[in-house]
Amino acid sequence: MHIARSSLSAALMATSVRAFSPAASSSFRSSAAISNLSSRTFSSTTSLNANVLKLTEPAKDLLPDVDVFIFDCDGVIWRGDSVIEGIPETLEKLRALGKKMYFVTNNSTKSRKGYKKKFDSLGLDVPAEEIFSSSFAAAAYLEQTNFKESGKKVYVVGEVGIQEELDLIGVPHFGGPEDGGKQPDMGPGGALPHDSDVGAVIVGFDRNINYYKIQYAQLCINENPGCEFIATNTDAVTHLTDAQEWAGNGSMVGAIKGCTGQEPTVVGKPSPLMIDYLCSKLGLDKGRICMVGDRLDTDILFGTDNGLKSLLVLSGVTTEEKLLSQKNTITPDYYADSIVDFFVDENAKVEASA
C-alpha cells in the first residue's frame, strides 16, 4: 500500500480553499508552485506495548498542551445518522477555550459540501472550512500531480462525493452511481469495452459496488499504460447505521487489488496529505495538534506517523480490550470513552450539584 505524501504550496492552498464555494473557479492551476508528489510506504509494525493511559485529568494532561484538535467523524462525532450524546456541548466548550478544530473523515461518499449538510442536519455548527473528506484528498492528489494537464479521465468506483470534488477541479470522470445497475456481457464471446483514455481509477466506499465496476476498473488499471490506482482509504469497516458495523472501503479496494495485483496510492488517513495541507495553509505546529479517532490503523496511525498527539475514543469501532491487547502495536497517547470526557471534571461537578 502506497500512502501519498505531499508538500502543498501556499498557492495551492489559496486556490483549493475556493473549492468550498459552488461558484468557485474550477481551475486549480499553480504549476510552478506545486511540488511533485512522492509516495512512501508506512509500517505500523513497531515494538510498542499496549500500556496506554486512560484520560482522567484532561484539564492537566491534555487541554493545556493542545491548540488544535483534528476529529474523525464516524464513531467520534456521530454513529450512522445519530450524533453521539454530549458532542454538541463538548464542541462548544472547546471553542470557548479557543481551541481550533478540524473534522477529517475517510468516508468519501460525500464531498465537503455534502458533509456540511450532514453537520447542519445533526445540529452541529461547523463551518465548511473545517471539514475535510477523503474525496477531497483524492481530488487534491490529482491536482498536485497535474492530472488535468494529461487530458486523461478518471473512472470512479464510489459515490457522488468523489464526483463532486472532481468537478470542482475540472477533471473529467465517469462511473460511480451511474454504473450501479450495469452488468457486463458474460455470454459466449462476451467482452466489456473500456475507455483507453482513463488515466486513473479512484476507489471509494460504494454501496452499489458490482461486478461491472470491478471488471471495468481492472481493465483500465491492467491495460491502460500508466493508469493509476487510487484509494480514498482502506478502512475495514464503517458506520452506515448505529446498529452494527458494515464492510468498509477496504473490501472494495481489496477486490481491485485482487484482480490487478497492484497496490493503491492511499490518500485518506493515515496518509499525511491532509495534515500537510492544514499545516502549510494555516501554519500549525504539529506538536500542538491532537488527532482524535476511533480507529487504531487509520486515525491513531495518522497521528503517530505524522508527529501529532493522539487520543483514541471507545465510542466507535475499537474496544478497550483490543486497544490494551499485547497484540496491538499502535498506541495512542491517551484513550477515553468519548470526547465528552475532555470535560470530565466539569461534568462531575454539574452532576454533584444536581
Side-chain angles (χ1 to χ4, degrees):
M1 175 176 68
H2 304 294
I3 300 182
R5 172 169 283 285
S6 66
S7 178
L8 299 184
S9 68
L12 174 61
M13 304 311 154
T15 51
S16 295
V17 167
R18 290 200 296 271
F20 282 108
S21 170
S25 167
S26 63
S27 176
F28 274 51
R29 293 184 184 180
S30 180
S31 58
I34 299 174
S35 59
N36 290 330
L37 205 65
S38 61
S39 296
R40 81 177 186 184
T41 300
F42 284 77
S43 173
S44 62
T45 54
T46 67
S47 58
L48 299 173
N49 59 44
N51 212 358
V52 189
L53 296 174
K54 187 162 188 179
L55 186 68
T56 57
E57 297 183 273
K60 178 174 71 75
D61 296 331
L62 179 69
L63 297 178
D65 299 323
V66 176
D67 297 327
V68 179
F69 285 98
I70 297 179
F71 294 114
D72 179 43
C73 295
D74 295 334
V76 178
I77 306 300
W78 60 66
R79 282 190 293 265
D81 290 320
S82 302
V83 67
I84 295 172
E85 185 177 358
I87 295 301
E89 298 81 2
T90 300
L91 297 182
E92 289 178 8
K93 291 176 182 177
L94 288 171
R95 291 192 192 281
L97 290 176
K99 306 301 183 184
K100 294 179 181 179
M101 291 179 283
Y102 297 96
F103 301 85
V104 178
T105 175
N106 265 358
N107 192 326
S108 64
T109 59
K110 295 180 178 65
S111 61
R112 290 164 295 165
K113 179 181 177 182
Y115 271 106
K116 170 59 178 167
K117 291 180 179 178
K118 178 161 186 174
F119 276 98
D120 290 345
S121 72
L122 293 175
L124 299 171
D125 185 16
V126 173
E129 292 80 6
E130 293 180 353
I131 304 168
F132 295 89
S133 62
S134 62
S135 51
F136 161 76
Y141 174 79
L142 290 180
E143 202 284 329
Q144 292 170 28
T145 54
N146 299 314
F147 181 85
K148 183 178 178 180
E149 284 69 20
S150 73
K152 299 288 187 178
K153 306 171 187 175
V154 172
Y155 183 70
V156 176
V157 178
E159 302 190 15
V160 296
I162 298 171
Q163 295 175 314
E164 290 176 355
E165 294 290 353
L166 292 178
D167 285 339
L168 289 173
I169 61 169
V171 168
H173 60 84
F174 64 101
E178 292 76 14
D179 285 354
K182 294 183 179 179
Q183 295 182 350
D185 177 10
M186 293 179 283
L192 178 61
H194 76 284
D195 192 333
S196 60
D197 285 333
V198 171
V201 173
I202 298 178
V203 181
F205 184 72
D206 192 334
R207 283 167 285 200
N208 294 298
I209 187 77
N210 58 25
Y211 191 67
Y212 180 97
K213 294 182 182 182
I214 295 171
Q215 173 65 358
Y216 205 102
Q218 76 86 8
L219 288 171
C220 293
I221 295 169
N222 284 337
E223 298 187 11
N224 291 359
C227 182
E228 188 163 10
F229 175 17
I230 300 168
T232 60
N233 67 88
T234 57
D235 292 2
V237 294
T238 190
H239 298 283
L240 286 181
T241 70
D242 58 2
Q244 63 180 186
E245 295 176 356
W246 299 77
N249 193 46
S251 61
M252 288 83 181
V253 174
I256 308 304
K257 285 174 59 176
C259 57
T260 62
Q262 300 295 316
E263 290 289 338
T265 294
V266 181
V267 295
K269 295 173 292 185
S271 161
L273 188 145
M274 285 191 275
I275 190 61
D276 285 354
Y277 176 95
L278 290 171
C279 288
S280 298
K281 175 179 178 291
L282 302 171
L284 303 180
D285 178 0
K286 287 186 178 182
R288 303 283 298 177
I289 301 174
C290 182
M291 176 65 213
V292 181
D294 68 320
R295 298 174 187 272
L296 291 166
D297 60 348
T298 54
D299 301 323
I300 303 308
L301 197 60
F302 178 74
T304 59
D305 277 351
N306 292 297
L308 315 178
K309 295 178 176 62
S310 59
L311 184 143
L312 181 89
V313 290
L314 303 178
S315 51
V317 301
T318 304
T319 64
E320 187 174 37
E321 180 182 8
K322 180 178 180 180
L323 170 65
L324 301 179
S325 168
Q326 290 300 319
K327 295 180 180 179
N328 173 37
T329 59
I330 305 172
T331 59
D333 295 302
Y334 294 99
Y335 76 100
D337 292 330
S338 79
I339 68 170
V340 175
D341 290 347
F342 286 7
F343 297 95
V344 62
D345 295 335
E346 182 179 325
N347 295 336
K349 291 178 182 179
V350 171
E351 291 177 4
S353 63

